[in-house]
Amino acid sequence: MAQPLVSQPSEESGFVKEIPSKAQHFADWYTAVVLKAELADYYPVRGCTVIRPYGYAIWELMQQGLDRRFKATGHMNAYFPLFIPQSFLQREAAHVQGFAPEVAWVTRGGGEELSEPLAVRPTSETAIGHMYARWIRSYRDLPVLINQWCNVVRWEKATRPFLRTMEFLWQEGHTAHRTAEDGEQESRQMLEVYRDFAETDLSVPVLSGRKPDSERFPGALHSYTIEALMPDGQALQAGTSHNLGQNFARAFNIKFLDSDNTEKFVWTTSWGLSWRMLGGLIMAHGDDRGLVLPPRVAPYQAVIVPILSGKGRDEVLTAARSIASGLAPAVRVRLDDRTEVTPGWKFNDWEMRGVPLRIELGPRDLGQRQAVLVPRVGGGKRPVPLDGLAEAVPSILAEIQQTLLQQAKAYLDSHIVTATTREQFAAAIAARSGFVRVGWCGAEACEQALRREGGASPRLISTETPGGPCPSCGGAARHVVYYARAY
Amino acid sequence: MAQPLVSQPSEESGFVKEIPSKAQHFADWYTAVVLKAELADYYPVRGCTVIRPYGYAIWELMQQGLDRRFKATGHMNAYFPLFIPQSFLQREAAHVQGFAPEVAWVTRGGGEELSEPLAVRPTSETAIGHMYARWIRSYRDLPVLINQWCNVVRWEKATRPFLRTMEFLWQEGHTAHRTAEDGEQESRQMLEVYRDFAETDLSVPVLSGRKPDSERFPGALHSYTIEALMPDGQALQAGTSHNLGQNFARAFNIKFLDSDNTEKFVWTTSWGLSWRMLGGLIMAHGDDRGLVLPPRVAPYQAVIVPILSGKGRDEVLTAARSIASGLAPAVRVRLDDRTEVTPGWKFNDWEMRGVPLRIELGPRDLGQRQAVLVPRVGGGKRPVPLDGLAEAVPSILAEIQQTLLQQAKAYLDSHIVTATTREQFAAAIAARSGFVRVGWCGAEACEQALRREGGASPRLISTETPGGPCPSCGGAARHVVYYARAY
């Protein structure tokens, strides 16, 4: 009974229009896929986009995958206000410096000028810090493990659906702990949750590690990040987890009475992942025919296209309905029984929309008591007996999920180059070929020198043991750092 | 492994503090229950509140109950921007008149004054109307059945958690149809979805019907409403569904090419239900011991309190864990194995938090291979054999759900009085005893006359056949109208 998540073909749209080549016109390819697959659309306020039902259904599945992991690690959802008093934002010095230029301000409400402007939240550390100071009294109240799903606003002039928008949907976790170690462990644990989610649910492999200090979140002690590599060789920061130390605890006076009867500041963390990751998964897997969705987050995992021409039409339709209802509890399946478009049109259309598996059923197939399964990636047509579909379909979907991960992993692995000299580094960055792995002595001057080479930034500090020299000063490397141009 | 949804008792909080009498101090009772049960808290921006994890968990269950119904009736979720250009709000004359005074305006962003202020959405008919005009081309694109879950802002000076807040969470459905009949049918269907949700999931019976024109949504042709009766005799508008006719289609030029090859305006609807309904369910069911939650939306449906003093402590704890894991897939169960508070303290605390069912287990019970079930409402202690719990607990929960509905239904039924004269009407309103049922001739003057009697407003026009006269003019009644004071 559920309505299709995509529009009917309209008179004028005709056959699926061409999508630019992904290899040659990557940015245009991305925009075309987002618009044609009806994932998102532009909106008259610059920087704002609309997420259409098919795109939102992917986001809902992503939310479920994350939310399940958050709850399994003891976190609870809550909701904090959209508006943050200007004075709150100013309490933590680095925080206000980092965010003030990006803030949208409400200055008028209910017909009156406000005495204190209200920030539309760019992130909620300050609002939540204020509440935690009210709620936390004793060590018994710790840890506080809260997440919220909400919209945030950061002023942006450029707009790329999902990747860069003024308003975006995300989740932000905010936790408070008794000890420094507990805070550090939480921030690392949530990074690992993000990594597992990206790889397991989205088939997007990532590098994970600590941000250099120059790139950390405003107000954080340390920031951790997962970074995916896009097909144009640029990195996408896909989720971050921050150990905030006692910076916000001091700014908002969040104290607890410990079991030794002394008052102490708590240790806090925050971590966030936004719909930007949805943009990442579009870029990572799509091809020249359009979107490719990993089965775990595909609104329709399989589409049944019955061949309804000629004799045997009614029998085919009846059998297709029976396949759909047989698969339905375990598989998100859609029966495309439209008669105003041809099967060939449907094949193209569903491929463009990234449905992982097509199930074809014609009169001849029905005569042989079989259907033909056509995976979106990996190629091949596989005839499967009708009474084996309930087993075969979930198994092929799992296979597709793995194929996508392996493809993306192979791409990532083959796009990491190691540079030991500044010339090698500059050449690798200029080639736009992915991550450049370098040793780093730890001096900020050396980081600054490399930043000037072609617009790359240090994406993360890995936990690997450094081998070679720092390419900038030639001194001994203390860390391994991955550089890339980035979104 | 999930963390408790409520804080640990802190040193200073001690035993659960007294809650004011619901009958004598209803407003104070409400505030005390909301704060003590940790459903919500105040926030320094006037009109804004924080929804704490235990309160948010109820909202999540409410969302699930509604979302399931929306999807079963063919609707899809999407997301439209928070910001609405001022010019959009002005396109529909009645709409802007209704909402402009309540709008919060963003006038500054990214360090600059904006050339056109942006409204923080008070509702999204205009933003969505603009997009529908882009998306809808042919009759084949219809109906468009979209819902969104989001925050909206309406400037408010008063604050009552859930009931009246400047920012609130809600869902807003927006649909477009080919014919007037389809639009009317949709708006009635969604009203029925709301009614069923309120009664089935929340055990809150409602009256439903059409709003008189004086009370309809700004820009609507007709508005439909469900209205619940609170224990103080005031009505709570708990969900509304609007037939918008072609008003927004004309304002935003939403046209389609029909099968007869002529261009026509679509017919639109919108319908919304907010966290206000959560306030309604608190008021409807709570008592002097605190919150009472209907099992379907209770974050914990059952709490196990083992008696851990003296001999047999370990065996009791082991058995309690086994009960919890045995019930866990079918029942949202919490094992309260804290040792820093007494069982008596826990009994009070969980009663205050409205958990529908308590399961007590002491050494003596264990000796008899039984546990004692204590429902939050309906009274009585029921010993049940351990091996019968998996069957008994869901069945008692279903019984509690029904008991709550019956109690609330009995209250509603006994608080509807019929008035046939203006004196009767005035007396009934002055007595603050609930809904007053009157005939209405249909003249606005008569409605205005009744409005002046003690601050009541016409809540809805019922589909009942009118019997008596219009109490205002004495003329023949054409409709039956329910009046009440309202939140």
Side-chain angles (χ1 to χ4, degrees):
Chain A
M1 178 54 201
Q3 213 217 17
L5 290 171
V6 293
S7 335
Q8 305 298 310
S10 69
E11 250 86 336
E12 69 185 49
S13 72
F15 206 74
V16 176
K17 293 200 198 77
E18 213 189 316
I19 292 170
S21 152
K22 190 183 183 191
Q24 287 166 44
H25 306 284
F26 186 62
D28 293 343
W29 171 89
Y30 178 78
T31 305
V33 168
V34 165
L35 296 178
K36 280 178 207 289
E38 298 181 337
L39 302 178
D41 202 355
Y42 292 98
Y43 180 77
V45 175
R46 196 170 53 181
C48 293
T49 56
V50 172
I51 308 308
R52 301 186 69 173
Y54 193 57
Y56 198 82
I58 302 172
W59 177 242
E60 283 183 322
L61 291 163
M62 291 173 63
Q63 286 186 302
Q64 286 167 26
L66 282 170
D67 205 68
R68 193 180 53 241
R69 287 172 171 87
F70 297 159
K71 285 177 175 158
T73 45
H75 301 84
M76 315 154 277
N77 290 327
Y79 189 74
F80 295 84
L82 174 68
F83 294 142
I84 297 181
Q86 189 171 28
S87 56
F88 276 22
L89 273 192
Q90 291 164 343
R91 291 249 196 113
E92 211 288 331
H95 194 69
V96 66
Q97 220 185 338
F99 281 106
E102 301 185 359
V103 170
W105 294 101
V106 171
T107 63
R108 217 171 343 128
E112 288 171 16
E113 297 296 317
L114 308 188
S115 56
E116 182 183 359
L118 297 173
V120 181
R121 66 180 159 220
T123 182
S124 302
E125 279 76 9
T126 58
I128 294 178
H130 174 84
M131 299 311 295
Y132 281 7
R134 284 170 63 108
W135 295 343
I136 296 169
R137 291 278 167 269
S138 145
Y139 69 95
R140 286 214 178 89
D141 298 329
L142 299 173
V144 174
L145 306 175
I146 291 182
N147 174 64
Q148 78 172 347
W149 291 96
C150 67
N151 54 346
V152 286
V153 170
R154 296 178 189 176
W155 210 259
E156 284 283 352
K157 300 229 158 155
T159 310
R160 298 199 69 194
F162 301 116
L163 299 173
R164 190 166 288 280
T165 50
M166 177 163 93
E167 180 194 8
F168 54 90
L169 296 185
W170 79 341
Q171 61 66 216
E172 49 179 323
H174 294 270
T175 68
H177 304 267
R178 191 173 175 181
T179 67
E181 295 67 40
D182 289 353
E184 177 63 17
Q185 200 204 316
E186 168 78 7
S187 55
R188 286 169 186 256
Q189 169 185 263
M190 300 322 289
L191 188 75
E192 173 55 22
V193 162
Y194 288 159
R195 191 205 56 74
D196 175 62
F197 166 71
E199 300 198 358
T200 309
D201 287 19
L202 310 183
S203 295
V204 173
V206 293
L207 298 185
S208 66
R210 185 157 64 83
K211 284 277 177 203
D213 289 353
S214 58
E215 297 276 330
R216 73 183 167 208
F217 177 81
L221 205 60
H222 298 308
S223 286
Y224 297 95
T225 182
I226 58 169
E227 305 265 332
L229 191 64
M230 298 295 105
D232 60 353
Q234 296 201 92
L236 183 83
Q237 175 179 303
T240 50
S241 180
H242 314 293
N243 178 344
L244 304 174
Q246 292 182 316
N247 292 345
F248 286 86
R250 286 175 196 277
F252 287 88
N253 203 29
I254 318 174
K255 288 187 205 165
F256 70 101
L257 194 69
D258 208 345
S259 55
D260 62 7
N261 224 28
T262 61
E263 239 187 11
K264 298 173 184 170
F265 286 110
V266 300
W267 300 80
T268 69
T269 82
S270 67
W271 28 276
L273 187 148
S274 81
W275 69 25
R276 174 173 238 223
M277 185 79 237
L278 207 167
L281 98 92
I282 296 165
M283 294 198 285
H285 301 306
D287 62 20
D288 285 355
R289 287 181 293 155
L291 192 63
V292 173
L293 290 173
R296 283 189 178 231
V297 295
Y300 303 124
Q301 297 175 306
V303 60
I304 303 172
V305 181
I307 315 299
L308 296 174
S309 50
K311 270 201 314 192
R313 189 186 175 291
D314 291 351
E315 289 76 9
V316 168
L317 192 56
T318 305
R321 285 192 183 128
S322 146
I323 293 172
S325 61
L327 291 174
V331 177
R332 291 185 292 273
V333 64
R334 164 91 188 268
L335 168 61
D336 186 351
D337 57 3
R338 289 176 290 177
T339 51
E340 68 269 25
V341 286
T342 65
W345 193 97
K346 293 178 188 176
F347 293 175
N348 278 286
D349 192 53
W350 291 115
E351 283 182 356
M352 185 271 287
R353 294 178 198 273
V355 174
L357 187 65
R358 180 169 80 231
I359 303 175
E360 300 176 9
L361 182 76
R364 191 178 305 173
D365 298 313
L366 190 56
Q368 297 171 43
R369 305 293 307 155
Q370 69 171 29
V372 177
L373 306 194
V374 187
R376 176 68 174 79
V377 292
K381 292 194 163 207
R382 315 189 198 178
V384 171
L386 294 184
D387 60 12
L389 284 176
E391 206 167 310
V393 170
S395 137
I396 293 179
L397 290 173
E399 203 180 286
I400 294 170
Q401 185 83 29
Q402 277 310 308
T403 302
L404 288 174
L405 178 61
Q406 280 155 19
Q407 281 181 5
K409 189 85 176 57
Y411 173 75
L412 172 62
D413 290 346
S414 63
H415 286 78
I416 299 175
V417 297
T418 300
T420 54
T421 67
R422 193 142 160 190
E423 291 67 36
Q424 283 176 354
F425 180 84
I429 293 295
R432 297 167 180 266
S433 60
F435 285 110
V436 185
R437 189 177 164 279
V438 298
W440 182 38
C441 64
E444 214 188 304
C446 291
E447 184 193 313
Q448 290 303 326
L450 292 192
R451 271 177 187 274
R452 282 190 294 269
E453 299 287 355
S457 54
R459 305 311 304 160
L460 58 85
I461 301 170
S462 127
T463 53
E464 296 164 59
T465 312
C470 173
S472 182
C473 66
R478 292 171 51 210
H479 307 285
V480 171
V481 180
Y482 285 81
Y483 278 76
R485 293 161 188 275
Y487 276 87
Chain B
M1 176 59 201
Q3 214 218 14
L5 289 171
V6 293
S7 340
Q8 306 298 311
S10 68
E11 250 85 336
E12 69 184 49
S13 72
F15 206 76
V16 177
K17 295 202 194 76
E18 213 189 315
I19 293 170
S21 151
K22 190 182 183 190
Q24 287 166 44
H25 306 283
F26 186 60
D28 294 342
W29 170 89
Y30 178 78
T31 305
V33 167
V34 165
L35 296 178
K36 281 176 205 287
E38 298 180 338
L39 302 178
D41 201 355
Y42 292 97
Y43 180 77
V45 175
R46 195 171 53 182
C48 293
T49 56
V50 172
I51 308 308
R52 302 187 69 173
Y54 193 58
Y56 198 82
I58 301 171
W59 178 241
E60 281 183 323
L61 291 162
M62 291 172 63
Q63 286 186 303
Q64 286 166 26
L66 282 171
D67 205 69
R68 192 179 56 242
R69 288 172 171 87
F70 297 160
K71 285 176 176 158
T73 45
H75 301 84
M76 313 153 281
N77 290 327
Y79 188 74
F80 295 84
L82 175 68
F83 294 141
I84 296 180
Q86 189 171 30
S87 55
F88 276 21
L89 274 191
Q90 291 164 344
R91 291 249 198 113
E92 211 289 331
H95 194 68
V96 65
Q97 221 186 336
F99 281 105
E102 300 185 1
V103 170
W105 294 100
V106 171
T107 63
R108 217 174 340 131
E112 290 170 16
E113 297 296 317
L114 308 187
S115 56
E116 183 183 359
L118 297 172
V120 181
R121 67 181 158 219
T123 180
S124 302
E125 279 74 11
T126 59
I128 294 178
H130 173 85
M131 299 310 297
Y132 281 7
R134 283 171 64 107
W135 296 342
I136 296 168
R137 291 278 167 270
S138 145
Y139 69 94
R140 286 214 176 89
D141 298 328
L142 299 172
V144 173
L145 306 174
I146 291 182
N147 174 62
Q148 78 172 347
W149 291 95
C150 67
N151 54 346
V152 286
V153 169
R154 296 179 188 175
W155 210 260
E156 283 283 353
K157 301 229 160 155
T159 309
R160 298 199 69 194
F162 302 114
L163 299 173
R164 189 165 290 277
T165 51
M166 178 164 91
E167 180 194 7
F168 54 90
L169 296 185
W170 77 342
Q171 59 69 218
E172 48 179 324
H174 295 269
T175 68
H177 304 267
R178 191 173 175 182
T179 67
E181 295 67 39
D182 289 352
E184 176 64 16
Q185 200 203 318
E186 168 79 6
S187 56
R188 285 170 187 258
Q189 170 185 263
M190 299 323 289
L191 188 76
E192 173 57 20
V193 163
Y194 288 159
R195 189 205 57 74
D196 175 61
F197 166 72
E199 299 197 0
T200 309
D201 288 19
L202 310 182
S203 296
V204 174
V206 293
L207 298 184
S208 67
R210 185 158 65 82
K211 284 277 178 202
D213 290 351
S214 58
E215 297 276 330
R216 76 184 165 206
F217 178 80
L221 205 61
H222 298 307
S223 287
Y224 297 95
T225 182
I226 57 168
E227 306 265 333
L229 191 63
M230 298 294 106
D232 59 353
Q234 295 201 91
L236 183 83
Q237 176 179 303
T240 51
S241 180
H242 314 293
N243 178 344
L244 304 174
Q246 292 182 316
N247 292 344
F248 286 87
R250 285 175 196 277
F252 287 89
N253 203 30
I254 318 174
K255 288 185 201 165
F256 69 100
L257 194 68
D258 209 346
S259 54
D260 63 7
N261 223 27
T262 62
E263 239 189 10
K264 298 173 185 170
F265 286 110
V266 300
W267 300 82
T268 68
T269 82
S270 67
W271 27 276
L273 186 149
S274 80
W275 70 23
R276 175 175 238 222
M277 185 81 233
L278 206 167
L281 99 89
I282 297 166
M283 292 197 288
H285 301 306
D287 62 21
D288 285 355
R289 286 179 294 154
L291 193 61
V292 173
L293 290 173
R296 283 187 177 232
V297 294
Y300 303 123
Q301 296 175 307
V303 60
I304 304 172
V305 181
I307 314 300
L308 297 174
S309 50
K311 272 201 309 191
R313 191 186 175 289
D314 292 349
E315 290 76 9
V316 167
L317 192 55
T318 305
R321 286 191 182 128
S322 145
I323 293 172
S325 61
L327 291 173
V331 178
R332 292 184 292 274
V333 64
R334 165 91 189 268
L335 169 61
D336 187 350
D337 56 4
R338 289 175 290 179
T339 51
E340 69 270 24
V341 287
T342 64
W345 194 96
K346 294 178 188 178
F347 293 175
N348 277 287
D349 193 54
W350 291 115
E351 283 183 354
M352 186 269 288
R353 294 178 198 273
V355 174
L357 186 64
R358 180 168 79 232
I359 304 176
E360 301 176 8
L361 182 75
R364 191 179 304 174
D365 298 313
L366 190 54
Q368 297 172 43
R369 305 292 309 153
Q370 68 171 29
V372 178
L373 307 193
V374 187
R376 176 67 175 81
V377 291
K381 292 193 164 209
R382 313 189 199 178
V384 172
L386 293 184
D387 60 12
L389 283 176
E391 205 166 312
V393 169
S395 133
I396 293 178
L397 290 173
E399 201 180 288
I400 294 169
Q401 186 82 31
Q402 277 310 308
T403 302
L404 288 174
L405 178 61
Q406 280 155 17
Q407 280 181 5
K409 188 84 174 61
Y411 173 77
L412 173 61
D413 291 345
S414 63
H415 287 79
I416 298 173
V417 297
T418 300
T420 53
T421 66
R422 192 144 161 190
E423 292 66 37
Q424 282 176 354
F425 180 83
I429 293 296
R432 296 167 180 265
S433 58
F435 285 110
V436 185
R437 189 176 164 279
V438 297
W440 181 38
C441 64
E444 213 188 304
C446 291
E447 185 194 313
Q448 290 303 329
L450 291 193
R451 273 177 185 275
R452 283 190 293 270
E453 298 288 356
S457 55
R459 305 311 304 161
L460 58 86
I461 301 170
S462 127
T463 53
E464 297 164 59
T465 312
C470 172
S472 182
C473 67
R478 292 170 50 211
H479 305 285
V480 171
V481 179
Y482 286 81
Y483 278 75
R485 291 160 189 275
Y487 276 86

